[in-house]
Amino acid sequence: MKRAHGKDVGYVKAWHAIQKGCVLLVVVTKDANNQIFPIAFGVADSENNESYEWYFRELRKAIGIRKDLMFLSDRHKAIANGIAKVFPECYHEFDDFMSQIAVVDKKTFNYLMEEPPGRWARSHYPRQLYDMLKTNIVESMNNVLRRARELPLLTMMDFIQEKLQSWFYERRTTAEGIFREISNWAEATLEEKIKPTFKFRVLPIDRLKFNVKEGGMEFIVDLDKRTCDCSKFQLDEIPCEHAIAAIGSIYQKTSAFCSTYYSRDFWLKTYGGQVNSIGDSTIWVIPDNVK
């Protein structure tokens, strides 16, 4: 899953297909090259608690237990209920604090909960809204699947399989063809940040700790801990402008201070598998108990 703000981020969305009583459930994230990466598809009769509990249980079987996991969605209540039941670790810390508030002052607790926590709680909606904390990604996936949702169920699933097969092949080929240490997107992101750094002053504090001056502001950059006072370095896990200036002052590779998530190796592993078709029905081997 894509890392953002120190967490693995998954986007949950459901779309109604053309067949009556058919809802397509999808969880997507982004890969090391900032491209859409579908994690799981599911088909249910409707958006309800039972459907999402089943879907998230199957998802948990696939991805296992992940400590720092964050889901973003359109706030459908059934999604929230399913996540809370199947992935309770995503909400434990927030719920513990809210329980303490409820014990001390029930009136304050009720007042706070009048609005969805995602609108005011940092644990549910971090303060700085970078691209990974917006749901544009699911709308992009919506555009990909728009025509497919107009097809009969099995034809729709064939379309999804073919699309994933194509994506895996093309992206694996692209990753194999580069010789840098990080993905194309990560490299381009770093290059965009370099220009402003020429105006910064970098004053060393220690071997890997620096005071970076930008205009009238100062930022402490710790390359050992990979942090900066602007918070972007530790949240995005890719060097910010101040970190780039500090790294340049000691003549090190900027890419070496990116999270391994953005590495070429990680990118290749993401698409290391293959998405195969189920073949023609005439050659299927069907168990006797299914016939």
Side-chain angles (χ1 to χ4, degrees):
M1 281 190 175
K2 174 77 172 188
R3 297 284 292 178
H5 294 257
K7 297 182 180 293
D8 294 312
V9 183
Y11 301 83
V12 187
K13 185 68 176 179
W15 292 290
H16 290 268
I18 191 171
Q19 290 188 206
K20 188 175 181 180
C22 177
V23 177
L24 178 65
L25 310 178
V26 182
V27 171
V28 298
T29 186
K30 286 187 177 181
D31 63 18
N33 202 43
N34 206 42
Q35 293 176 291
I36 297 172
F37 183 81
I39 298 174
F41 293 91
V43 177
D45 55 356
S46 65
E47 289 190 87
N48 54 51
N49 290 338
E50 184 178 356
S51 295
Y52 276 112
E53 281 184 33
W54 161 78
Y55 180 64
F56 286 123
R57 290 192 191 284
E58 294 302 311
L59 177 63
R60 190 174 185 107
K61 290 178 185 177
I63 68 174
I65 299 174
R66 306 179 77 93
K67 181 181 178 182
D68 294 319
L69 181 60
M70 176 190 296
F71 286 101
L72 297 180
S73 72
D74 57 5
R75 297 177 184 154
H76 193 287
K77 288 185 177 180
I79 295 177
N81 292 338
I83 292 173
K85 192 164 186 177
V86 182
F87 290 96
E89 64 273 14
C90 296
Y91 294 91
H92 271 177
E93 183 177 0
F94 175 80
D95 289 343
D96 287 344
F97 282 123
M98 292 307 295
S99 296
Q100 294 176 36
I101 292 175
V103 171
V104 175
D105 191 335
K106 185 66 175 178
K107 185 177 180 180
T108 299
F109 172 83
N110 292 335
Y111 172 76
L112 290 172
M113 296 306 292
E114 286 178 2
E115 289 291 328
R119 296 182 182 178
W120 55 267
R122 187 174 181 182
S123 63
H124 280 52
Y125 205 172
R127 176 175 55 83
Q128 292 177 301
L129 306 183
Y130 296 106
D131 181 57
M132 278 303 297
L133 291 174
K134 299 177 182 177
T135 54
N136 295 346
I137 182 175
V138 293
E139 296 311 320
S140 296
M141 195 66 194
N142 181 31
N143 291 332
V144 173
L145 299 175
R146 191 181 302 277
R147 288 182 57 194
R149 299 203 321 272
E150 298 175 358
L151 302 172
L153 177 58
L154 294 181
T155 309
M156 177 182 70
M157 299 309 294
D158 285 340
F159 175 92
I160 292 173
Q161 178 271 317
E162 290 177 3
K163 177 60 68 175
L164 294 185
Q165 179 179 312
S166 173
W167 279 0
F168 267 62
Y169 171 74
E170 292 170 359
R171 295 173 184 181
R172 182 169 58 247
T173 301
T174 300
E176 289 173 342
I178 69 169
F179 299 97
R180 62 176 67 92
E181 297 174 347
I182 55 178
S183 71
N184 293 337
W185 175 83
E187 183 71 25
T189 298
L190 290 177
E191 289 178 358
E192 288 178 3
K193 295 180 178 182
I194 289 176
K195 189 175 181 180
T197 66
F198 296 133
K199 299 179 181 179
F200 297 172
R201 287 185 63 207
V202 180
L203 305 176
I205 299 173
D206 201 349
R207 188 174 62 87
L208 291 174
K209 194 172 184 179
F210 304 85
N211 181 1
V212 179
K213 295 179 179 289
E214 177 190 359
M217 299 183 292
E218 297 185 14
F219 301 87
I220 302 299
V221 174
D222 191 324
L223 296 180
D224 184 39
K225 296 180 179 178
R226 300 193 180 190
T227 62
C228 176
D229 285 347
C230 75
S231 297
K232 293 183 180 180
F233 192 5
Q234 55 267 40
L235 294 179
D236 290 342
E237 299 186 34
I238 191 169
C240 60
E241 290 91 342
H242 313 108
I244 290 174
I247 295 167
S249 72
I250 56 174
Y251 307 102
Q252 296 291 313
K253 285 186 177 181
T254 309
S255 60
F257 292 88
C258 292
S259 166
T260 55
Y261 170 81
Y262 299 106
S263 69
R264 174 182 180 271
D265 290 342
F266 201 103
W267 189 16
L268 277 170
K269 287 179 181 178
T270 301
Y271 296 101
Q274 298 176 348
V275 179
N276 297 301
S277 68
I278 60 175
D280 190 84
S281 60
T282 59
I283 60 173
W284 291 354
V285 178
I286 304 175
D288 292 335
N289 63 330
V290 177
K291 291 181 180 179

